[in-house]
Amino acid sequence: MADGEGGIAPAEVDRPAIEAGEILVSVRASSANFGEVTDVLPGAPRGAVPGWEAVGTVLETGRAVSRLRPGDLVATLGEWGGWAEYRAVDERLAFRLPLHSSPTSMAVVGVAGGTAIRVIRRLGSTLGARVMVTGAASAVGVFAVQLLVMAGAQVVAVDRKPERHSRHRELGAEEVLTTPEENREPVEAVIDTVGGEVLVQAFRQLRANGRLIAVGHTARECEQFQPGDFEGDEGRYGRVIETMHLLQDDPRRSLVDDIEWLARMVDRGGVLTPEILVQEKSSFASTVTLQPRPNGWVKTVFKVG
């Protein structure tokens, strides 16, 4: 649970009760996301149980639950509760996984993978489109590069560390840049996970009617646009910046369908996950962090059992 001082500490908490539309999950693995570590924990009251996503086995179902059954392996999403041994969650935020898949691998599919799918779906058809992904070494970036390639895009990956560029090419990126301003040909869309000056530079790379969708803000700095950045002269008209939220409705396809499809792809090896650092239950409380590694920001996963 949160210790009230910006960290977490092991503690005994009550097993949650479930409501009619909820399931009770015995958690086997949970992940630590950037926003939880940098935004949620510092202000979390003592006794709160953080955790946006967790994977586990369904133990009980509420009377209104119709899609899931006890024994199912599921990934779950929610604002709190993922870093506990038991979690109560709305059935609409639970996603059936291949029964024998790896809980630690699947623990990173919900937030990062789901965000990547949903932002690409917002872009519409990307067949032949030149699409830039900033923060390509992030968890969202790793998924986005691969999924864009599958959707027929020409991916321009942006990663400030040249030693990681070969990895992005292995995942399918046609070009890899250190900064967006190195780009020499306008792009039709940008998926930005960084914010700050990177977002500003990426916006300048958009062709007419291009779209930048912001899905993260790891830079932790203000966006400072310059005079002329929003001029709409020849080649720059119609450019837009959009925000999105993972749980917002999309009439084209449900979040359940998207994440369950991605889970099957990961289980078959058709989509690779970001690098995962597994922490056992006994050491998780003192090491919950997003640690820089040569291949990018590692996703820390809390292994419960």
Side-chain angles (χ1 to χ4, degrees):
M1 69 177 185
D3 60 12
E5 299 178 356
I8 59 174
E12 294 290 331
V13 297
D14 293 336
R15 181 166 163 168
I18 58 173
E19 298 182 0
E22 294 183 327
I23 60 173
L24 179 66
V25 176
S26 175
V27 175
R28 296 172 62 183
S30 307
S31 73
N33 289 282
F34 183 89
E36 290 168 303
V37 176
T38 58
D39 297 332
V40 175
L41 273 179
R46 180 177 177 80
V49 180
W52 291 343
E53 59 185 329
V55 170
T57 304
V58 178
L59 294 181
E60 300 176 21
T61 61
R63 64 180 182 277
V65 170
S66 60
R67 188 171 51 84
L68 299 170
R69 298 184 179 129
D72 285 343
L73 182 67
V74 293
T76 62
L77 294 177
E79 292 185 1
W80 298 92
W83 294 355
E85 292 186 24
Y86 298 95
R87 182 183 209 185
V89 66
D90 192 304
E91 182 189 30
R92 294 170 295 181
L93 296 178
F95 317 98
R96 186 182 287 109
L97 303 174
L99 190 58
H100 300 293
S101 57
S102 164
T104 54
S105 294
M106 294 299 168
V108 306
V109 165
V111 172
T115 298
I117 294 178
R118 303 299 265 186
V119 69
I120 293 170
R121 195 173 299 289
R122 284 179 68 86
L123 290 177
S125 175
T126 56
L127 280 172
R130 188 172 163 82
V131 182
M132 178 178 289
V133 178
T134 69
S138 67
V140 174
V142 169
F143 281 118
V145 168
Q146 297 176 82
L147 295 174
L148 281 167
V149 171
M150 293 173 66
Q154 302 174 51
V155 179
V156 180
V158 177
D159 185 341
R160 62 188 178 84
K161 292 192 174 183
E163 60 268 27
R164 298 193 295 229
H165 287 191
S166 61
R167 178 57 173 162
H168 302 307
R169 293 190 182 93
E170 291 173 359
L171 294 177
E174 293 196 10
E175 296 181 42
V176 189
L177 311 174
T178 304
T179 67
E181 61 187 357
E182 295 175 1
N183 184 51
R184 293 295 176 262
E185 181 182 342
V187 300
E188 294 172 50
V190 174
I191 296 174
D192 177 64
T193 72
V194 181
E197 180 59 21
V198 170
L199 182 151
V200 174
Q201 292 180 12
F203 178 73
R204 294 171 184 155
Q205 307 308 313
L206 287 173
R207 66 168 68 245
N209 298 313
R211 298 167 66 191
L212 183 152
I213 304 183
V215 301
H217 201 271
T218 58
R220 289 301 189 263
E221 64 183 22
C222 294
E223 290 76 34
Q224 299 185 23
F225 291 92
Q226 300 300 314
D229 279 343
F230 292 105
E231 289 183 0
D233 53 6
E234 185 65 29
R236 298 196 296 172
Y237 55 82
R239 297 170 299 152
V240 297
I241 298 175
E242 297 181 18
T243 57
M244 66 158 284
H245 189 275
L246 174 61
L247 301 184
Q248 70 188 83
D249 291 335
D250 189 325
R252 292 163 292 188
R253 190 171 170 87
S254 73
L255 184 62
V256 168
D257 288 338
D258 276 343
I259 292 182
E260 290 187 353
W261 172 82
L262 180 59
R264 292 192 296 271
M265 292 297 296
V266 169
D267 186 54
R268 298 169 188 164
V271 173
L272 302 179
T273 64
E275 184 181 350
I276 295 172
L277 175 66
V278 178
Q279 296 287 346
E280 299 295 333
K281 176 182 175 183
S282 60
S283 62
F284 181 75
S286 62
T287 58
V288 56
T289 183
L290 299 182
Q291 300 185 24
R293 287 285 197 275
N295 291 332
W297 284 98
V298 168
K299 289 284 287 182
T300 301
V301 171
F302 169 24
K303 184 179 178 182
V304 179

